[in-house]
Amino acid sequence: MISTLYCVRGGIIIIVLVVILSCIVLRHNAIEGTPRSIPSDNPQYITVLDSSSEERGQLDDVTSDLNVMKQTPKLQSNQKTSNSSSENVVEPKLTDLPILKLERHKKYLPAMIKESDDIISLLPDTGFLSDYKSFCWNGKTETLRCLPGAYIAGMPKCGTTDLFAKLEWHPNILKPPTGKENMYWSRSRVGRKAGLYLPGHRNKETFDSFTGRMTNIEMKDNHGAIILDGTPILLSDHREWETRYPWATNPPYTNADIIHFVSPQAKVIAMVRDPVERLWSDYLYFDRGEKRTPDTFDKHVKVEMNRFQSCLKTRDLRHCSFSTENSVQTQLSLGLYICFLQDWSENFGDYLLVITLEEYSRNMAGTLERVFEFLEVRVDVGELNAFLEQSKIENTRHNGDVLKGDMLKQTRQKLRNFYEPYNIMLARYFQDRKFLFEH
């Protein structure tokens, strides 16, 4: 009798343990699938690239391979021409180019959830209104609230201001009441301190306030309109992550993660340009408290290239590209586009379109047609061309900066050598030669 009772009690204990274990597994899966709850704040969840010499060795190998390629820049084809017995000279295939391996990074999304309580509490439980092209819902007071349906996520001095102006021409593309750049996701969502090289103090803004400012009154009558957010620094602006997460070796999450969390079907247009030209234009445009000349630019490039290479000796590529310590008088690391675009590509997939300023400048009408098609907005080509003929280019270089001439030849060559491996990584990642920025 006693032994029977012990067996029954033992069986009950086993069943209880199985039920508890099942609940833990189900909760873990729920957190992984839809991160709406906050797990314990454990920094061990973070997984980053090994900061050993492996990654730096790969970079050295790429540089070595590039030097070989420069000596034999063309690959030979076995096809013969009808007029000559010599072999055709063709461009090397992307698969023949050396590549620095870029690992996919696991994020520490609980940090994002913890900083997004007000966002999660206001998002609609039943989803967004299906008859709107932007992401809209009726708030608790039945007030219409909207999030952008599309984003221009570029880099400074890559042509995003002009692209925004050209897209805004269409009646179904709406500028937010806040203007082209609202800075919510990258700055005021968590607040940001002012600084000499990071100007613009931003107080923390609630999600309710932001969505109220974003909701254009025209949205109520134009359900087919798309609110366009034109904040160009969305790709790269994760400032102060080192102080917010002192335990982290890399940003726990990026702007791509939080935007995808709230609106996974948003369309994202990323715009980049030759990183060498971008850096020079950036240096001339932003006042950092000194006289800006080709000589001072060359001096700062040397210092920050050395600082970046020193960073790679102890940190991985992701940390060095996202770190604010490596961009002081120039924003050198912003030209490492692959380090930033990878997050957006992994989050948004086919909802991401990456264009370059070079292709936009060569064929503005054709590029805009492609962007409108990507946004699923119908456009009359004749009306678009007529608009472009009478429109001006926005945010061009100031006359004073033009008079300063060009960067020194030696500076340009140093920068080309610096950026070349990362351009190749970008071209290989997206399988598109335009990202080689060949001259």
Side-chain angles (χ1 to χ4, degrees):
M1 180 73 175
I2 294 175
S3 61
T4 302
L5 289 175
Y6 274 117
C7 290
V8 171
R9 187 170 65 178
I12 293 173
I13 292 174
I14 292 173
I15 292 173
V16 170
L17 290 175
V18 170
V19 170
I20 292 174
L21 181 61
S22 300
C23 291
I24 292 174
V25 171
L26 289 172
R27 175 171 173 77
H28 173 75
N29 292 338
I31 291 173
E32 291 294 316
T34 54
R36 292 296 177 96
S37 57
I38 304 174
S40 60
D41 194 5
N42 185 354
Q44 293 179 353
Y45 287 147
I46 286 190
T47 302
V48 296
L49 277 177
D50 184 5
S51 59
S52 66
S53 60
E54 179 182 357
E55 187 180 56
R56 296 187 295 279
Q58 291 172 347
L59 181 58
D60 292 339
D61 292 341
V62 170
T63 305
S64 175
D65 290 343
L66 283 170
N67 291 333
V68 174
M69 287 182 62
K70 290 173 185 176
Q71 297 173 10
T72 56
K74 305 292 183 182
L75 299 181
Q76 301 298 316
S77 169
N78 293 326
Q79 296 179 346
K80 307 289 185 179
T81 63
S82 58
N83 299 327
S84 172
S85 59
S86 63
E87 296 176 334
N88 289 335
V89 177
V90 298
E91 292 291 335
K93 297 178 180 178
L94 288 176
T95 53
D96 296 316
L97 298 176
I99 184 173
L100 169 60
K101 186 179 180 182
L102 190 67
E103 300 289 348
R104 178 174 179 144
H105 287 261
K106 292 183 179 179
K107 311 295 178 63
Y108 180 57
L109 295 185
M112 179 185 77
I113 301 300
K114 192 171 184 178
E115 294 180 336
S116 307
D117 286 344
D118 64 325
I119 296 177
I120 295 171
S121 65
L122 288 179
L123 286 175
D125 295 329
T126 57
F128 300 110
L129 299 174
S130 60
D131 55 338
Y132 282 86
K133 291 198 72 172
S134 287
F135 301 101
C136 301
W137 71 99
N138 290 316
K140 295 179 179 179
T141 60
E142 294 302 313
T143 303
L144 186 67
R145 288 283 186 263
C146 291
L147 288 168
Y151 295 84
I152 297 179
M155 290 289 187
K157 309 311 297 175
C158 285
T160 57
T161 298
D162 191 74
L163 175 64
F164 187 94
K166 300 302 188 289
L167 293 177
E168 187 195 359
W169 157 80
H170 197 284
N172 281 345
I173 302 294
L174 295 183
K175 177 195 289 188
T178 57
K180 169 180 174 278
E181 303 176 15
N182 65 78
M183 308 292 184
Y184 172 77
W185 297 111
S186 57
R187 297 182 183 177
S188 56
R189 181 177 62 86
V190 293
R192 200 188 82 171
K193 299 176 182 178
L196 177 60
Y197 305 117
L198 303 174
H201 174 74
R202 291 274 172 170
N203 291 321
K204 180 176 172 61
E205 181 181 13
T206 65
F207 187 63
D208 184 56
S209 170
F210 166 65
T211 54
R213 292 192 301 112
M214 288 298 293
T215 306
N216 196 312
I217 192 171
E218 299 177 50
M219 288 299 300
K220 295 180 179 179
D221 301 319
N222 190 352
H223 293 198
I226 296 175
I227 298 176
L228 180 64
D229 183 327
T231 307
I233 56 174
L234 281 177
L235 279 185
S236 61
D237 194 0
H238 306 283
R239 308 288 182 163
E240 297 184 343
W241 68 267
E242 293 105 325
T243 56
R244 279 170 36 213
Y245 321 109
W247 41 264
T249 57
N250 283 290
Y253 67 97
T254 67
N255 295 327
D257 296 306
I258 183 63
I259 292 175
H260 184 264
F261 176 76
V262 300
S263 50
Q265 292 183 314
K267 298 289 185 72
V268 180
I269 307 150
M271 195 169 190
V272 296
R273 72 185 287 191
D274 182 338
V276 177
E277 304 303 327
R278 193 216 69 81
L279 190 66
W280 174 236
S281 181
D282 180 291
Y283 178 73
L284 293 177
Y285 184 81
F286 293 102
D287 184 3
R288 296 182 175 89
E290 69 166 11
K291 183 179 180 181
R292 291 156 290 170
T293 68
D295 289 321
T296 57
F297 180 63
D298 182 71
K299 179 186 69 174
H300 291 309
V301 165
K302 288 179 182 177
V303 170
E304 298 198 5
M305 284 178 64
N306 289 334
R307 184 184 291 120
F308 189 85
Q309 297 298 346
S310 296
C311 179
L312 288 178
K313 292 179 181 179
T314 57
R315 300 286 191 173
D316 61 38
L317 176 59
R318 185 175 178 84
H319 175 96
C320 296
S321 59
F322 277 90
S323 176
T324 56
E325 298 176 358
N326 296 319
S327 297
V328 182
Q329 284 288 356
T330 71
Q331 300 192 78
L332 181 76
S333 61
L334 296 194
L336 310 181
Y337 302 136
I338 182 61
C339 299
F340 305 103
L341 282 171
Q342 185 188 26
D343 286 86
W344 293 84
S345 178
E346 290 176 355
N347 274 285
F348 288 94
D350 292 338
Y351 290 101
L352 170 70
L353 174 68
V354 186
I355 63 176
T356 67
L357 177 61
E358 287 76 12
E359 66 179 313
Y360 180 72
S361 300
R362 284 193 304 268
N363 183 11
M364 186 176 294
T367 305
L368 285 171
E369 286 180 47
R370 187 153 56 96
V371 173
F372 279 121
E373 181 180 6
F374 170 71
L375 296 175
E376 300 180 84
V377 173
R378 298 182 64 179
V379 62
D380 185 288
V381 176
E383 292 180 0
L384 174 62
N385 288 327
F387 163 71
L388 294 178
E389 287 178 4
Q390 53 85 34
S391 66
K392 65 177 183 177
I393 305 298
E394 300 288 340
N395 205 22
T396 56
R397 188 174 295 179
H398 300 152
N399 290 334
D401 292 337
V402 172
L403 294 175
K404 292 174 183 175
D406 201 355
M407 72 181 84
L408 301 177
K409 290 183 179 180
Q410 64 195 46
T411 314
R412 185 182 299 280
Q413 190 57 52
K414 281 185 292 191
L415 287 171
R416 292 215 181 284
N417 293 339
F418 175 80
Y419 284 124
E420 195 168 22
Y422 305 104
N423 293 343
I424 290 175
M425 292 165 64
L426 187 65
R428 286 285 300 269
Y429 186 85
F430 287 107
Q431 284 297 294
D432 197 327
R433 294 192 66 91
K434 70 184 180 184
F435 298 117
L436 295 175
F437 303 105
E438 297 168 302
H439 297 272

